[in-house]
Amino acid sequence: MCDVADDITSADYYFDSYSHFGIHEEMLKDVVRTKSYRDVIYKNKFLIKDKIVLDVGAGTGILSLFCAKAGAAHVYAVECSQMADTAKEIVKSNGFSDVITVLKGKIEEIELPVPKVDVIISEWMGYFLLYENMLDTVLYARNKWLVDGGIVLPDKASLYLTAIEDAHYKQDKVEFWNDVYGFDMSCIKRRAITEPLVDTVDGNQIVTDSKLLKTMDISKMASGDASFTAPFKLVAKRNDYIHALVAYFDVSFTMCHKMMGFSTGPKSRATHWKQTVLYLEDVLTVCEGETISGSMTIAPNKKNPRDVDIKLCYSLNGQHCKISRTQLYKMR
Ligand code: SAH
């Protein structure tokens, strides 16, 4: 993720996608994301004014610029990709060089010119909240530099689960492999089903209610708390078929004068995170009021901690469908 080569080539981008402006363009144009951070900062200047702020993974420096404009005493913008050089240029051309110091390097390796900071701000969330595991970097920074009583923005992140009817797309993405121009490629189907799909789910596809799996308190949690098993019970809202479970998250800034935040759920305005779809091996036939119960276990992959391993156990004891199964998935 953090290559330091001077001449950027396609090989560098392969390992360091954050060096290219394209990914930053996508994030900046995600107005749900960027305006939420902006509104939090501009409408709650008391959190930022005269404070020392650390921007963890500054990218183009946008969050640092918001904080500088809100009156921060000083902002340290740490960015490990080549984009750090660009952020320096952006800071300078906007006249904030005396307030924002851009530091190029990994949070885990840089030295900060001050012993403590009052505020840590970061946009660290990945697909399925935890993919890319940047949360560990924020927790590292918090443990090392955040002053007693300092704040982390955002300070809460919650993961939710619901279930959808998705016959059409499951056919296209999974069953497709059963018969490819007359040939059986179902060995790929078995692999395809283990990869959660990041895609936009239409609100009309939702068959059950939504359940909170886990809320993480970024200001208090330990790194290990991002690995957990959470039980769930999803209640069918209508008679339908269920092809997949869908995970999404929200984040909140509870230190604001009035609580603020945003959701990446299927009923909210779309974000670049979309939702994460986990296809089920079986099609579940559910009647209104029936319950799918189970548990989801989430942990960073042991070999590659940026990947996420997911274990899903579910059972349905319904009028038309009795089933109990465990499926393993991997976000990669
Ligand atoms: N804050 C910016 C960018 C968010 S994307 C914005 O809101 O638009 C996250 C950024 O964190 C990426 O640019 C990535 O290169 C950087 N990053 C990820 N891990 C890091 C680490 N360990 N140290 C420093 N920067 C990191």
Side-chain angles (χ1 to χ4, degrees), residues 60 74 85 98 105 109 125 139 142 161 195 197 206 208 244 261:
T60 54
H74 205 88
D85 299 327
D98 49 342
E109 292 166 7
M125 297 80 75
L139 300 180
R142 182 202 67 190
L161 196 65
E195 291 195 12
L197 209 74
I206 300 172
T208 65

Side-chain angles (χ1 to χ4, degrees), residues 1 18 24 33 57-58 62 79-80 106-108 134 137:
M1 187 186 273
Y18 286 109
H24 296 279
R33 182 200 85 110
I62 184 71
E79 170 58 44
C80 62
K106 285 192 184 180
I107 281 282
E108 295 81 356
M134 201 183 145
T137 297

Side-chain angles (χ1 to χ4, degrees), residues 1-2 16-19 23-24 27-28 33-34 37 55-64 78-83 103 105-110 121-125 132-134 137-138 306:
M1 187 186 273
C2 297
D16 183 10
S17 55
Y18 286 109
S19 288
I23 193 164
H24 296 279
M27 291 190 291
L28 293 169
R33 182 200 85 110
T34 311
Y37 276 86
D55 180 355
V56 173
T60 54
I62 184 71
L63 305 183
S64 295
V78 181
E79 170 58 44
C80 62
S81 75
Q82 303 293 333
M83 195 47 64
L103 300 165
K106 285 192 184 180
I107 281 282
E108 295 81 356
E109 292 166 7
I110 52 124
I121 192 161
S122 184
E123 197 280 83
W124 53 269
M125 297 80 75
E132 282 194 10
N133 200 14
M134 201 183 145
T137 297
V138 175
R306 298 210 176 271

Side-chain angles (χ1 to χ4, degrees), residues 131 133 299-309 330-332:
Y131 182 58
N133 200 14
N301 181 261
K302 291 213 167 65
K303 258 199 236 146
N304 181 358
R306 298 210 176 271
D307 292 350
V308 188
D309 290 334
K330 185 179 197 167
M331 294 282 296
R332 64 183 117 217

